[in-house]
Each structure stands twice: as C-alpha cells, then as structure tokens.
Amino acid sequence: MTSATIEPAADDPRTVEFAAQGMTCGSCAARIQKTLAKQDGVSDAEVNYATGRALVTLDPQRVDLEQLQQAIDRLGYQLEPVPDEPEGDDHDDAEDVEARAMRSWLIRVIVATPPTLVVLWLAMFSGELGEEPWARWTQFVLTTPVQFYVGWPFLKEMVRRALRFTANMDTLIGIGTLAAYGYSTVALFTGGFLYFEVAAAIVALLALGRYFEARAKSRAGHALRALLELGAKQARVLRDGQEVLVDIAEVQVGDLLRVRPGEKIPTDGEVVDGASSVDESMLTGESMPIDKQPGDRVAGATVNTSGVLTVQATAVGADTALAQIVRLVQDAQRGKAPVQRLADRISAVFVPVVIVLAIATFAWWAIVAGDPLAGLTTAVAVLIIACPCALGLATPIAIMVGTGRGAELGVLIKQIETLERTRHITTVVFDKTGTLTEGRMALTDVAVADGVDEAELLRLAGAVEADSEHPIGQAIATASRDRVGELPAVTGFEALAGEGVRAEVDGRTVWVGRRSLLGGQSLALSTELETRAVELEQSGRTAVFVAWDGHVRGVLAVADQLKGGAAEVVRELTSMGLTVTMLTGDNQRTARAIADQVGIDRVLAEVYPGDKRGEIERLQQAGEVVAMVGDGVNDAPALVQADLGIAIGTGTDVAIESSDLTLLRGDLAGVPLAIRLSRRTYRTILQNLGWAFGYNVAAIPLAAVGLLNPMIAGGAMAFSSISVVLNALRLRRFGRDLTRAA
C-alpha cells in the first residue's frame, strides 16, 4: 500500500478538513465521527451533517489518507480531502451534486404520484370494485415500481446498515414498506387482504419529504459561492504608464490599479492618486459611501462611485478582507456541532427491538402454540403495526406545513436544527444599518438663521445637491423637491472631496457640506446654529451646513431612518423574556441615540466588520444563546456563528444564505414571528413523535398476542398517520392568534 501523507491545513498544522459523502441523516454523521475519533493518530473529529464536512485533528506523522478513507469506506461512506483554499470550480461541483440530488428526488416524486393515487383509490374508495382480480393485480403492478424504483434509496441504505449491524430511519422505512408489500404479494395469490396502498403511500410521501429537504440543503450551500462571486474578475493595472486589463489572479502586491467610477476595486489597497466616494456597504453594511483620498485604505470588491482612483495593491488573494470574511464563514460553520434528528435517535433503538419482537412472536406461535401460519400472520401484523409511517411523517409533515405557513407570513425556515435551537434563545442581537434602519439617508430637520426663509434655504441647497451622487446629497435634493417643487439650474458645480459641494445659483455661490468645509472657506457660523448643529449630532444625525455670502444660513440634519415598528418589535421581544442588543460600527454617542429611540438597553458600538462574529462568540461564552439579525455581507460570519441566524430578505444574498431563518419581506415584525413559529413548529414535531412512538409502543404488544390482525393493524397505522398530519395542519392557523405566546 502506498502511504499518502496528509498535508495539514495552513491555519492549523493538526487540522484537516474532509468532504464526507453518502450521509443521509444525523446518525450517519455521528457514526463517521465516532469511527474517525477511534483511528490511531486522531485526537479529535467533528462531522457536520448539514455541511457534509468532517474536521479532523490529527498527528500528520502517524495518519495517512488511505488509512482514514478505508476506515470510513468500511462503514459505507466516502471521505475526500478539501483544499485549503476554495476554488470556484470546487464550489461549482458542489452545486452540481446538490442539484442532481434535488432533481433525483423530484423525478421520484413525479414517478410515484400517479400510481400511488390510483392504488389508494382502488384500495380505499372503489368499494367492491377494488376486490376484483384485475383491480388487485393492478395494485400490485402499480406499487412495484414505487416500492423498488422510488424507494430504492431507502432500501439500499437499509441493506448497507444491515451489513454493518446498524440501523437508522431508512431501516425503518425499508422494513415497513417491504413488510406491507411482501405480505400483500403473498395475499394476492392466497386471496388475503392487500396492503399495497400502505407501501406506495409511505414511499411517495417520504420521497416528497426528501425532495424538500434536498432543496433546503442546496440553498445553504450557496453562501460561500456568493461571497466568492462578489470580488472583481479583472483589474486595470498600470504598466509603463499604460492601462492593461488582466485577470484578478495576476494582480500582485505593489501593482498600481486604475479604478473608474462604477467599477469594483479589484483588491485591498491604498489610494495614491485621485479622490472619490467608495460604497463599502458590501463589507461594512453601512449605507453611506466613504470619501477617499490619497493615503486612505480601500477594500477589494467595494465600489468606486464617483471619481477616478489610482490604488496600490497591499493585499491579494487569500489576504484580502473579502477572503477573510470567507474564512470567517467557514470557521463558524465548522464550529457548529450537528444535531441528530429525533426520529433517528428513536429508530436506533426501536428498529432492532421491533425485529426481535417480530421473530419472537413468530417463534412463540410456531413452537409454543403450534400454529406456524398464525405465527406468520401475527409477525407480519407486528411489522405492519410498527411500520414507521407516522414516525417517518412526524417530522417532515410538521416541517412542510410549518415552513409553508412561514412562507405565507414572510419567514423562511431552512432546517429542523433551526427549530430546535430556537427554543433556547436568550438574546436577540440586531445589526443597525439596513436592519433596524432603512439603510438610506433622509432629511429629518431644518434649522435656519434669523431672517432666512426655510423654503429658500431648501431650494438653494437642493439645487446644488441635485447632481450629487452622494447619498446625503441625494437625500437633500429629494426632500427639497418634495417640499418646494422644481429646483433652479446651477452653474460651476464643484465637488470638494471629503467636504461637500458648491455651485452658482441665481447669481450666488452656495456651499453645502460638513463642518470641515466652514473653516476652509472662511464661512461664519452663528452661535445659535452651532448650538443647534451640536444638538442634532448628539441625537445621532449628520449635520449639513448651507452657506452663501460668507455666512452659514442654515443647518440640515440627515439620518438613516428607523424602520417602522422597530420599537414595537423590541418591546415584543422583551415581553418574550429575551434580551435585545444592538450591534453597530457607529460611535457610542450615535449608537446610544438610535438605541434609545427603539428602547434597546444594551449597545455594542464601534464594532468593526471583522469583529462582529467575535462579539457574538463573546456573548455565547458568557452563557447566552444568541439570535443574530442582519442583512449585509459583513453580517454573514456573525449570522453563522450565532445559535440562530436571522437574515433580512431585502439584504444581500450572502446574509440570506448564511442564516438559519430569512425574513422574506424585510419587515422587523418577522423577527418575533419567526421565533414564535419556529417554537410552535418544533413543539408540533415533538407532539407528532410522541404520538407516533407511543402508538407503536402500545400497539405492538397487541399485535404480538394476536389481538390485531394485519388488516386492523393497517387501519390503525393509517389512523396514526392521519393523526400526525392533522396535528401538523394546525400550524396553518398560526399567525391568526399572535396575542398568544407560542
């Protein structure tokens, strides 16, 4: 055997990441994890079913690739190393695998539905017609492809588990459907009662559940691909004084890059020439572009909004801010331990017990009672009554109804683990910009000097800002048009980088800008306006000064407006016993002013984008179970790190993909709604599992002693299935009684 030494990951010489293939449930992940941890030279292993990844801590001198692969291959799974640096092709391949799985289950659902409906009609609604020989044979013919083609993944997994003396949910499904199908096939020739509809219906419904599960999992895999796609694909590099368009991979540290208005900045760097405003919302979540001039730092994938910049590259590839965010998302995903499905926990013990009971039942009737035929019938009754229809439907039906109702209410719930975690949430952390606020600037206040008409001030200021691309200028121009109507034409417009703008209006030179503009242009500011400007700034607003003829004539206040209902949402979350926290990059004074308006007591201010995840982790280390609500790219690592990530649907795709819950309508009222719905759905799952398992525990002994024949057993099983479906359908009424706690 050729030894293939494992190269340790760059960030940890003892940590290696693998793709674990072939998992179908949480118990599969637990089995792989247990086996990996037992291997010589492996000190720790963590397998995540949701991401299909295994993180192994090992001694690279004692462990080789073939050793680990063979150990996992013996379990019936595959293990492949993952490159340290993700490549676009690798993510495309992963997306193809997810798409194939989803298409495969969809095809099986389409194949299963028509024959299953016919079999159900013949068996349950056709009356005496269903007892005709042709009708009985039709049920057999139509059920066979459903059982063996549509149900093949369940049967294959059942055999794999049996060969390794283990069991999971697929084992239950395989045994139950084969028992119903096999007994019915024998009864077809002997004239007995048929249960083909049981086998067909179980397989069809569970295939539908697997399709929805595959679709939900495929969405979760898009986050890193979306992050990688944010970066620029090409760059304009200055070589010998000429612009040369090259692929981003060819850019090196020290290269001079020319970035025109509207283009993405190719990589992290420092401005060496030019002045402009850069939209950093994809990185910081803040809506207002930042003015840049020589000496200022810029980040790759942010957008140059106005002037031409010459940037010297200071970091490329894996060292850029965007790449670091990708790694933060990866690290947070790795840190989440898998949560095994409740049904699999039950089935791990339940299946072997049922099999033993069925064998014991047959043996007792055949040997002790001396009636082998009765023993066979009773054993089949045990298997049918133990058929995992209700147990298998308990979780997917509740999830389907709960998520369907959530979609109607604008809440996207992605997986069962989300529902389980939601029960324990103690703290809700809101990102400020774009989450608590609208993410766009608006004029809030107007203060004028003595003798100045407010309408005239707005008319002149709006005219000067009419051609500005800056969000503050756009907010002033928009508000001025709304209040005073058409704005006059201007001449001699000039943008002053980092300070403001000026232009000639009606023969006057009008200046509009921030405080730094005043000293540079010798514009006098009265004590009254200075006092008012300070008050506005202390309340969390941005003060903009308007001047002409050497004097400041008024102060305009611009702010990112709070979303409607934000205060009500905070009050509702507080009434649910949750601690509400605001997280922002703003300074403490501005952040406190915003928090006071919505009633938030705890504020985490001046938090840089890369530190958001760390703040969430710090709260978790203090014993808090955290839900994070955000909308920007910079929120993605924090959303993944949080015990429950809630993304605003009007935000970026990356934030949405990285979250556990998504509010499709961008309405903050969806936050308490989502938490309540998740808790209600999870409670319904527990009720369904309790009923399904309790039903089997009570019914199996009755079948074993011969009090339930297969026909009655089939009817009881159908009733059990109907009960969990009806219980799940109660979730359709959720949202009509929100005054009651979930």
Side-chain angles (χ1 to χ4, degrees):
M1 180 186 300
T2 301
S3 178
T5 303
I6 297 175
E7 292 296 334
D11 57 344
D12 185 347
R14 297 176 53 85
T15 300
V16 183
E17 186 178 14
F18 296 92
Q21 301 171 0
M23 295 189 296
T24 62
C25 62
S27 62
C28 297
R31 193 168 296 114
I32 296 174
Q33 181 170 306
K34 183 177 180 181
T35 301
L36 286 172
K38 288 182 177 179
Q39 300 305 303
D40 182 44
V42 174
S43 58
D44 188 35
E46 183 176 285
V47 180
N48 191 318
Y49 168 63
T51 62
R53 290 291 189 263
L55 201 64
V56 184
T57 303
L58 49 80
D59 180 355
Q61 303 302 320
R62 299 169 56 195
V63 181
D64 62 37
L65 177 61
E66 291 181 358
Q67 173 188 341
L68 294 183
Q69 287 179 316
Q70 290 179 0
I72 301 307
D73 184 67
R74 286 192 291 270
L75 293 178
Y77 307 100
Q78 296 81 47
L79 204 65
E80 296 293 337
V82 175
D84 292 342
E85 294 299 332
E87 300 290 342
D89 291 342
D90 295 329
H91 288 279
D92 292 340
D93 291 342
E95 190 171 20
D96 289 341
V97 170
E98 294 165 354
R100 284 197 300 270
M102 194 164 57
R103 284 196 301 269
S104 175
W105 283 113
L106 179 59
I107 290 172
R108 294 179 190 277
V109 170
I110 294 173
V111 170
T113 301
T116 299
L117 292 176
V118 174
V119 171
L120 285 171
W121 181 78
L122 288 173
M124 303 178 66
F125 304 108
S126 63
E128 295 182 359
L129 185 65
E131 295 302 318
E132 294 291 330
W134 68 266
R136 293 166 63 86
W137 278 98
T138 298
Q139 292 183 55
F140 169 75
V141 171
L142 293 178
T143 301
T144 299
V146 175
Q147 175 71 56
F148 293 103
Y149 169 70
V150 178
W152 174 245
F154 305 123
L155 300 178
K156 181 176 68 173
E157 185 64 22
M158 178 193 70
V159 173
R160 287 174 54 187
R161 301 277 69 79
L163 292 175
R164 291 161 177 83
F165 304 101
T166 59
N168 66 355
M169 194 67 203
D170 293 315
T171 306
L172 284 173
I173 296 169
I175 290 177
T177 57
L178 283 178
Y181 179 86
Y183 179 85
S184 300
T185 301
V186 173
L188 183 65
F189 294 95
T190 61
F193 196 84
L194 303 181
Y195 299 99
F196 286 122
E197 80 281 1
V198 173
I202 292 173
V203 171
L205 285 171
L206 291 176
L208 181 63
R210 288 288 175 93
Y211 163 70
F212 282 115
E213 180 181 350
R215 188 175 70 170
K217 285 186 66 179
S218 71
R219 294 175 63 91
H222 293 165
L224 292 182
R225 287 190 289 274
L227 279 171
L228 291 171
E229 290 170 358
L230 283 174
K233 302 299 185 290
Q234 294 181 311
R236 301 179 190 276
V237 180
L238 291 177
R239 291 178 179 167
D240 298 326
Q242 301 295 319
E243 291 184 15
V244 180
L245 193 64
V246 302
D247 290 337
I248 191 65
E250 298 180 30
V251 176
Q252 299 179 357
V253 173
D255 281 347
L256 293 178
L257 312 175
R258 182 68 54 82
V259 188
R260 297 174 180 173
E263 293 182 342
K264 290 182 179 179
I265 295 175
T267 190
D268 294 3
E270 180 179 319
V271 177
V272 296
D273 187 42
S276 180
S277 294
V278 175
D279 181 0
E280 297 184 341
S281 60
M282 59 73 56
L283 189 66
T284 66
E286 302 301 324
S287 58
M288 188 169 61
I290 306 299
D291 294 323
K292 301 291 183 180
Q293 52 192 351
D296 290 338
R297 311 281 292 187
V298 291
T302 57
V303 180
N304 179 23
T305 63
S306 50
V308 177
L309 293 176
T310 301
V311 176
Q312 184 173 38
T314 58
V316 298
D319 297 325
T320 64
L322 180 61
Q324 290 169 7
I325 289 179
V326 171
R327 282 199 295 273
L328 285 173
V329 174
Q330 289 175 323
D331 291 343
Q333 287 179 337
R334 290 168 179 164
K336 283 191 173 180
V339 181
Q340 294 186 348
R341 298 179 188 276
L342 292 176
D344 281 316
R345 296 173 189 168
I346 296 171
S347 68
V349 177
F350 182 62
V351 174
V353 170
V354 170
I355 295 174
V356 170
L357 283 176
I359 294 173
T361 298
F362 174 77
W364 189 91
W365 281 94
I367 299 173
V368 179
D371 190 350
L373 182 60
L376 177 62
T377 303
T378 306
V380 171
V382 169
L383 289 174
I384 291 179
I385 202 70
C387 182
C389 185
L391 192 60
L393 289 174
T395 295
I397 285 294
I399 290 177
M400 288 169 61
V401 178
T403 54
R405 181 57 180 159
E408 294 176 352
L409 298 172
V411 177
L412 175 62
I413 303 172
K414 295 187 177 179
Q415 52 189 341
I416 184 175
E417 288 86 350
T418 297
L419 308 177
E420 189 170 8
R421 290 195 298 269
T422 304
R423 295 185 305 152
H424 307 293
I425 295 301
T426 61
T427 301
V428 179
V429 177
F430 284 95
D431 176 59
K432 181 183 76 70
T433 304
T435 303
L436 283 174
T437 65
E438 295 288 353
R440 59 177 182 270
M441 309 302 287
L443 181 68
T444 60
D445 300 89
V446 180
V448 295
D450 291 340
V452 177
D453 180 62
E454 179 177 313
E456 179 67 6
L457 181 82
L458 288 173
R459 193 177 75 90
L460 297 177
V464 174
E465 294 283 18
D467 294 328
S468 173
E469 296 179 352
H470 199 286
I472 288 180
Q474 292 176 353
I476 293 173
T478 299
S480 298
R481 290 191 187 96
D482 292 341
R483 299 189 188 187
V484 302
E486 186 176 353
L487 301 176
V490 303
T491 58
F493 176 85
E494 181 182 1
L496 306 173
E499 294 186 343
V501 294
R502 74 174 180 183
E504 299 292 328
V505 189
D506 296 340
R508 298 172 176 171
T509 299
V510 179
W511 306 80
V512 183
R514 57 186 60 184
R515 189 182 295 273
S516 60
L517 177 70
L518 307 184
Q521 304 302 326
S522 300
L523 300 172
L525 175 64
S526 67
T527 302
E528 292 78 6
L529 286 180
E530 167 66 13
T531 301
R532 182 57 177 148
V534 171
E535 292 174 351
L536 292 171
E537 290 172 338
Q538 289 177 341
S539 66
R541 294 165 171 80
T542 298
V544 179
F545 300 85
V546 183
W548 62 82
D549 295 339
H551 290 80
V552 175
R553 306 296 179 170
V555 178
L556 306 177
V558 179
D560 188 359
Q561 297 295 288
L562 283 169
K563 287 185 176 179
E568 290 76 7
V569 167
V570 172
R571 282 196 295 269
E572 184 175 359
L573 292 171
T574 302
S575 71
M576 294 167 61
L578 301 173
T579 301
V580 183
T581 302
M582 188 178 79
L583 184 66
T584 179
D586 288 344
N587 61 62
Q588 186 68 40
R589 185 178 66 183
T590 301
R592 185 70 265 169
I594 296 294
D596 289 342
Q597 293 180 48
V598 294
I600 294 177
D601 293 327
R602 185 164 64 181
V603 175
L604 302 176
E606 300 179 28
V607 179
Y608 291 102
D611 296 336
K612 287 189 176 183
R613 179 200 167 199
E615 289 294 327
I616 299 299
E617 192 172 13
R618 184 178 61 80
L619 293 174
Q620 291 171 325
Q621 291 172 349
E624 300 184 41
V625 183
V626 182
M628 168 70 187
V629 187
D631 76 319
V633 171
N634 64 304
D635 299 326
L639 288 170
V640 178
Q641 175 64 40
D643 299 282
L644 178 70
I646 303 178
I648 302 297
T650 51
T652 66
D653 290 341
V654 175
I656 294 172
E657 299 288 351
S658 301
S659 67
D660 303 302
L661 289 172
T662 299
L663 308 183
L664 300 176
R665 299 173 185 171
D667 185 357
L668 282 181
V671 175
L673 180 82
I675 294 175
R676 292 185 189 277
L677 177 59
S678 296
R679 291 177 174 179
R680 181 78 63 85
T681 303
Y682 187 75
R683 189 172 68 188
T684 300
I685 291 173
L686 293 180
Q687 292 169 347
N688 281 354
L689 288 173
W691 162 254
F693 183 62
Y695 150 82
N696 281 304
V697 169
I700 288 175
L702 297 178
V705 299
L707 296 179
L708 292 177
N709 62 35
M711 182 176 65
I712 297 176
M717 187 195 64
F719 172 74
S720 177
S721 302
I722 292 173
S723 68
V724 299
V725 172
L726 291 177
N727 187 47
L729 288 175
R730 293 192 306 130
L731 289 168
R732 296 289 302 165
R733 298 198 301 269
F734 179 85
R736 300 172 186 171
D737 56 347
L738 292 180
T739 55
R740 296 169 54 189

